[in-house]
C-alpha cells in the first residue's frame, strides 16, 4: 500500500526534523519529495508524531514470552531448573506458537519491527512471524557433543530453512549453536562447516557468566571467544549474544574477525552476571547491537526499557556521563542490529530502505516538552508512546490497535497455557 506520512518529526541521519515520508509497496520511496506518479492510498498526518526507524531486537527467544515472571529473585540454577526448564520441556509446538504470538504482540506494541530469535520448535515461531507481519531472523537452537551428519537438531534447522514459508523474504535464517557449555567442540566445528558451505551466519550465546568461563577454561583451556574462533565459527558473519565476561584479547579477536555483539543489559543483571564492557568493545570497533533476551530473564521484550538501561548502566559503570549517548544507543537498537543480521536495507529512514517504521505520539507527558526528542527516545519514553508500527510497508498497528494479530485470543491462549503447565 502506498502511504504518505506528512510533515512529521522524523529521525534521519541522527537528527530529528520535520519531514514527509513516502512509502511505495515495501520501501521508502521518497523523503520530502514524492516519487513521480505517486498516489497515496493512505495519508498519515504527522502533527504531534515522531517517526523513527523500526527497532531491531537482536537477541531473543520469543516462545519464552509466557515464562515472564516465573521463578524470579532466585539463584541461577533454581531459576533454570525449577522455573524455566519444567515449562520449556512440557511445551508443545502449539504452546511455542502461542508463546511466540504473545512476544510478537508485545514487540509490535513497543515499535520493534525486526527480531533475531533462537528457538526449539521448528515452524512455530516461523508461523507466528509470518502471521504477525514482523521481520524475523530465526535459528533453531543446536545442542550436541559429537557432530554427525544426521544430527536431529541440525536436520530440523535445515528443514525449517528449506521447507518453511519465508514470507517473501521477510523471514531469514542463521545457524544457532546454543552456547559453549551445550555445543561440544566437535559439534561446533561441524556447525561452522555447514555455515561455510551454505553461506549462513551464526548466532550463539557466548561468555554470559563466570561459571561458563571457569568451566571452559578447565576443560578446554580457552575462553568462550577463543573456543568459537578455534571451531571456525568466526569464518562466517557471527553474532554473539552477551559477551559479559570477555578479556582484552577476546575483544581484539572479535574486532579483527568482524564479530557483532548483542548486549542484553536487563537479562545480564537479572541473572546476576554483571555488565558487558560495551564502551571498550565499541572503542575496539566492534558492531554492538541491543537485545532483550527471552522474557524469562528480562521480563519484557520492550526495547525502550533496554535502551534506557544500556545508556544509564554504562555511565554508571564507567563513572562518566559521557559514555554511551542517546544517538549511539538508538543506532545500537536499529541499524547496528540490522547490519549484524545481514539485513542491508533495514534500520534507517532513507530512500530505498525497507519501510520498517515506528511512529510515536508526542502528545503524551513523557515526550513533553520537546527539549530534545532524541533524548526523550532513550531517557523518558517507555514504549507506550508508539502509536503505529509499520513493517515492509504494511501497517501492523495503528492507534495502538493491532491489525494483524488477535490480541484477545493471544492473551487467552498464553494465560491458559501456563495454567495447564502448572505455573500460573
Ligand atoms: Zn538468549
Amino acid at each position: 500500500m502506498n502511504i504518505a506520512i506528512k510533515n512529521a518529526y522524523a529521525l534521519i541521519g541522527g537528527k530529528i526534523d520535520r519531514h514527509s515520508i513516502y512509502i511505495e509497496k515495501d520501501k521508502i520511496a521518497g523523503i520530502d519529495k514524492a516519487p513521480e506518479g505517486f498516489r497515496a492510498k493512505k495519508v498519515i498526518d504527522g502533527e504531534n508524531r515522531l517517526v523513527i526507524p523500526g527497532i531491531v531486537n537482536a537477541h531473543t527467544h520469543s516462545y519464552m514470552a509466557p515464562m515472564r515472571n516465573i521463578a524470579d529473585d532466585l539463584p541461577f540454577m533454581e531459576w533454570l531448573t525449577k522455573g524455566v526448564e519444567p515449562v520449556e520441556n512440557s511445551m508443545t509446538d502449539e504452546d511455542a506458537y502461542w508463546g511466540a504470538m504473545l512476544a510478537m504482540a508485545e514487540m509490535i506494541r513497543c515499535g520493534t519491527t525486526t527480531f533475531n530469535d533462537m528457538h526449539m520448535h521448528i515452524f512455530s515461531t516461523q508461523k507466528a512471524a509470518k502471521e504477525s507481519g514482523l521481520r524475523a531472523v530465526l535459528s533453531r537452537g543446536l545442542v550436541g557433543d559429537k557432530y554427525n551428519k544426521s544430527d536431529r537438531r541440525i536436520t530440523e534447522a535445515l528443514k525449517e530453512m528449506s521447507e518453511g514459508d519465508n514470507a517473501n523474504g521477510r523471514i531469514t535464517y542463521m545457524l544457532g549453536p546454543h552456547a559453549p557449555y551445550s555445543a561440544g567442540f566437535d559439534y561446533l566445528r561441524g556447525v561452522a562447516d555447514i555455515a561455510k558451505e551454505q553461506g549462513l551466519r551464526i548466532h550463539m550465546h557466548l561468555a554470559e557468566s563466570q561459571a561458563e568461563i571457569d568451566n571452559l577454561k578447565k576443560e578446554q583451556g580457552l575462553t568462550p571467544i577463543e573456543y568459537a574462533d578455534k571451531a571456525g565459527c568466526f569464518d562466517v558473519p557471527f553474532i554473539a549474544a552477551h559477551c559479559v565476561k570477555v578479556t582484552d584479547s577476546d575483544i581484539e579477536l572479535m574486532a579483527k574477525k568482524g564479530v557483532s555483539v548483542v548486549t542484553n543489559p536487563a537479562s545480564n543483571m537479572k541473572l546476576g552476571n554483571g555488565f558487558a564492557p560495551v564502551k571498550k568493545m565499541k572503542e575496539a570497533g566492534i558492531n554492538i547491537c541491543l537485545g532483550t533476551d527471552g522474557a524469562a530473564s528480562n521480563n519484557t521484550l520492550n526495547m525502550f526499557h533496554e535502551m534506557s538501561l544500556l545508556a544509564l548502566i554504562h555511565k554508571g559503570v564507567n563513572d562518566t556521563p559521557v559514555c554511551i549517548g542517546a544517538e549511539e544507543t538508538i543506532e545500537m537498537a536499529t541499524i547496528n542490529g540490522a547490519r549484524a543480521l545481514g539485513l542491508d536495507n533495514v534500520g534507517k529512514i532513507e530512500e530505498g530502505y525497507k519501510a520498517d517504521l515506528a511512529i510515536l505520539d508526542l502528545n503524551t507527558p513523557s515526550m513533553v516538552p520537546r527539549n530534545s526528542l532524541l533524548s526523550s527516545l532513550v531517557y523518558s519514553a517507555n514504549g507506550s508512546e508508539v502509536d503505529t508500527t509499520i513493517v515492509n510497508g504494511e501497517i501492523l498497528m495503528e492507534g495502538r490497535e493491532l491489525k494483524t494479530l488477535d490480541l484477545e485470543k493471544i492473551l487467552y491462549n498464553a494465560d491458559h497455557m501456563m495454567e495447564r503447565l502448572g505455573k500460573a
Side-chain angles (χ1 to χ4, degrees):
M1 178 165 58
N2 285 3
I3 304 170
I5 306 168
K6 295 297 253 309
N7 202 26
Y9 287 97
L11 174 59
I12 299 178
K15 289 195 170 50
I16 296 179
D17 287 307
R18 300 299 283 251
H19 292 286
S20 292
I21 299 167
Y22 300 94
I23 298 169
E24 210 164 41
K25 293 184 184 151
D26 59 336
K27 288 203 175 66
I28 296 168
I31 293 169
D32 295 329
K33 188 172 177 290
E36 245 184 73
F38 180 88
R39 292 187 62 171
K41 252 201 143 178
K42 181 177 180 69
V43 176
I44 296 175
D45 179 3
E47 188 63 29
N48 290 317
R49 293 287 185 268
L50 167 60
V51 190
I52 63 168
I55 295 170
V56 178
N57 184 349
H59 176 70
T60 191
H61 311 275
S62 59
Y63 73 97
M64 294 177 107
M67 295 181 211
R68 74 174 95 245
N69 310 323
I70 57 168
D72 292 332
D73 308 324
L74 291 173
F76 177 78
M77 282 318 282
E78 248 180 279
W79 166 82
L80 185 68
T81 57
K82 292 190 180 159
V84 176
E85 281 178 353
V87 177
E88 199 165 49
N89 294 338
S90 17
M91 269 179 129
T92 62
D93 287 346
E94 200 192 340
D95 293 333
Y97 164 76
W98 286 113
M101 287 294 253
L102 180 66
M104 314 274 154
E106 187 182 7
M107 288 193 277
I108 294 170
R109 299 249 295 187
C110 296
T112 293
T113 53
T114 296
F115 67 100
N116 181 32
D117 193 277
M118 191 185 289
H119 62 87
M120 288 166 52
H121 301 261
I122 59 165
F123 303 127
S124 297
T125 309
Q126 186 191 61
K127 184 169 182 276
K130 189 187 171 212
E131 290 171 15
S132 72
L134 282 167
R135 195 175 299 287
V137 182
L138 309 181
S139 347
R140 199 271 183 240
L142 303 173
V143 172
D145 187 18
K146 290 267 170 265
Y147 173 72
N148 75 72
K149 269 206 154 103
S150 53
D151 176 82
R152 174 174 65 85
R153 294 179 180 88
I154 294 175
T155 307
E156 284 182 7
L158 298 174
K159 187 176 157 140
E160 189 178 42
M161 289 179 205
S162 60
E163 292 179 18
D165 188 334
N166 73 0
N168 293 324
R170 194 163 37 75
I171 302 172
T172 52
Y173 296 90
M174 289 192 192
L175 287 173
H178 178 258
Y181 53 86
S182 51
F185 187 77
D186 184 58
Y187 188 84
L188 193 56
R189 199 164 46 187
V191 172
D193 286 344
I194 298 173
K196 281 181 251 183
E197 275 162 35
Q198 305 209 9
L200 293 164
R201 287 166 186 258
I202 297 180
H203 171 205
M204 184 176 182
H205 298 94
L206 275 188
E208 183 177 2
S209 70
Q210 195 57 49
E212 176 190 334
I213 312 290
D214 295 344
N215 291 339
L216 199 68
K217 197 95 218 168
K218 208 157 70 187
E219 286 165 20
Q220 304 275 346
L222 298 168
T223 69
I225 310 301
E226 291 163 348
Y227 180 75
D229 182 50
K230 196 174 168 197
C233 290
F234 294 172
D235 297 344
V236 297
F238 188 97
I239 183 159
H242 301 304
C243 295
V244 179
K245 310 283 182 186
V246 285
T247 64
D248 286 353
S249 69
D250 284 337
I251 293 175
E252 211 177 295
L253 178 60
M254 288 195 288
K256 198 172 121 207
K257 296 285 180 122
V259 169
S260 288
V261 169
V262 189
T263 186
N264 305 271
S267 173
N268 297 151
M269 283 197 286
K270 191 185 169 200
L271 298 180
N273 286 328
F275 309 99
V278 169
K279 183 170 177 281
K280 248 188 188 177
M281 292 194 283
K282 186 198 81 175
E283 284 164 1
I286 292 175
N287 180 47
I288 313 277
C289 344
L290 187 62
T292 57
D293 210 352
S297 63
N298 188 304
N299 302 350
T300 82
L301 303 181
N302 182 343
M303 287 286 285
F304 281 87
H305 180 231
E306 220 65 36
M307 284 199 283
S308 169
L309 286 176
L310 174 75
L312 295 177
I313 284 164
H314 294 289
K315 295 181 204 317
V317 167
N318 293 291
D319 295 324
T320 172
V322 189
C323 187
I324 310 288
E327 188 182 343
E328 266 179 305
T329 300
I330 296 163
E331 281 174 3
M332 290 179 190
T334 54
I335 185 71
N336 291 12
R339 193 180 297 137
L341 302 177
L343 304 171
D344 294 335
N345 52 358
V346 170
K348 271 207 268 194
I349 300 179
E350 196 175 295
E351 205 177 304
Y353 270 62
K354 291 283 187 186
D356 291 8
L357 305 168
I359 307 178
L360 284 77
D361 180 6
L362 296 178
N363 220 0
T364 184
S366 54
M367 305 303 277
V368 173
R370 294 169 192 174
N371 295 326
S372 164
L373 287 175
L374 197 70
S375 284
S376 69
L377 286 168
V378 173
Y379 299 115
S380 64
N382 56 52
S384 66
E385 303 83 357
V386 177
D387 174 90
T388 301
T389 303
I390 300 175
V391 178
N392 230 21
E394 188 191 357
I395 296 176
L396 308 189
M397 178 175 79
E398 190 177 19
R400 289 200 66 71
E401 191 191 321
L402 297 176
K403 299 291 183 188
T404 50
L405 299 177
D406 182 340
L407 185 60
E408 207 179 322
K409 200 168 164 189
I410 292 169
L411 299 182
Y412 175 88
N413 278 287
D415 214 13
H416 281 72
M417 172 205 315
M418 289 311 282
E419 264 176 31
R420 184 167 48 75
L421 297 175
K423 291 286 161 188

